[in-house]
Amino acid sequence: MRYADDFLILFQYENEAQKVMQALKPRLGNFGLEVAEEKTRILPIGRFKGTKEDFDFLGFTFYNTKTRTGKYRLGVRTSKKKLKAKKQAAKAWLNTRLTKPLAETMKTFAAVIRRHCNYYGVNGNYHSIRIFWKYLQYSTYRMLNRRDQKGIFRYEKYLRVWNYYITEPHLTTDIWNCGQMTV
């Protein structure tokens, strides 16, 4: 059995969206697929709609916002649900690393942060990836302090280790120009 799980169709005019919505159900029915009515909706979003409603799509939350100069912009941030799940998974993983070598743990964390930045590092989402990065930094420090019985592992020493292995989070994709950003 196959599922066409998530897709998004954008229109400038609401009447065009209504027409496609009516045509979509029979068209998908030709392939043995059906539309999940509880998840399907027409959401007016844009500079002239003025709605405060946002929507989640592929781990991101899209919402109406403005640029620093006051122009309309569609904002993007990591979905709160996804961010919470990632934090919980990282915390659970850290609990398994109490007796493992520090270098191995830090190299794995570096890969996790790179992967996170590669997926979530889109324009306008720097704040969310920075929150995740800071959470990992603090959680790792707490884990290492639990591991260190004598209390020798001070924060300054920890930051030297962290900065040696882990780079600052950064944006990797320009979603508005559909090309890679130069970093």
Side-chain angles (χ1 to χ4, degrees):
M1 183 173 280
R2 293 189 177 198
Y3 296 94
D5 194 43
D6 290 332
F7 67 94
L8 190 60
I9 306 174
L10 305 172
F11 297 94
Q12 184 172 359
Y13 301 106
E14 190 172 348
N15 63 341
E16 293 173 351
Q18 299 286 353
K19 288 178 188 175
V20 169
M21 184 71 94
Q22 295 303 318
L24 186 63
K25 294 172 189 171
R27 180 72 176 149
L28 289 176
N30 292 342
F31 300 100
L33 299 171
E34 51 189 54
V35 174
E37 295 291 336
E38 67 278 358
K39 295 181 179 179
T40 306
R41 62 188 170 147
I42 294 175
L43 176 68
I45 196 162
R47 67 179 156 191
F48 300 118
K49 298 301 178 186
T51 62
K52 296 290 182 194
E53 197 169 357
D54 54 11
F55 65 94
D56 288 351
F57 185 66
L58 299 177
F60 292 96
T61 299
F62 294 87
Y63 59 98
N64 287 322
T65 188
K66 292 182 179 181
T67 63
R68 288 184 223 163
T69 59
K71 295 181 180 177
Y72 170 78
R73 188 181 130 226
L74 186 64
V76 182
R77 67 176 171 255
T78 306
S79 168
K80 289 179 183 176
K81 189 168 90 173
K82 291 288 184 184
L83 190 58
K84 182 178 179 180
K86 287 212 169 255
K87 285 179 176 181
Q88 288 174 343
K91 186 176 181 180
W93 182 80
L94 269 173
N95 287 334
T96 67
R97 304 298 299 180
L98 282 170
T99 59
K100 304 291 190 253
L102 178 61
E104 184 182 307
T105 301
M106 297 306 282
K107 286 177 186 175
T108 305
F109 250 153
V112 166
I113 291 172
R114 273 194 311 274
R115 226 177 13 250
H116 187 79
C117 285
N118 285 340
Y119 187 80
Y120 290 103
V122 299
N123 319 55
N125 197 32
Y126 181 76
H127 183 72
S128 292
I129 63 173
R130 181 79 181 177
I131 287 172
F132 183 66
W133 185 83
K134 292 295 270 184
Y135 177 81
L136 292 181
Q137 185 182 39
Y138 178 70
S139 298
T140 306
Y141 177 65
R142 287 187 55 220
M143 181 269 295
L144 291 172
N145 264 344
R146 276 197 309 270
R147 182 167 110 162
D148 183 27
Q149 297 291 321
K150 297 178 184 173
I152 299 171
F153 205 66
R154 298 285 178 229
Y155 192 68
E156 296 78 28
K157 182 179 177 183
Y158 165 71
L159 282 181
R160 284 197 310 271
V161 171
W162 177 265
N163 291 332
Y164 178 78
Y165 288 101
I166 312 293
T167 60
E168 289 278 328
H170 60 279
L171 302 179
T172 56
T173 307
D174 184 358
I175 59 174
W176 305 122
N177 292 328
C178 297
Q180 287 290 345
M181 293 180 78
T182 55
V183 180

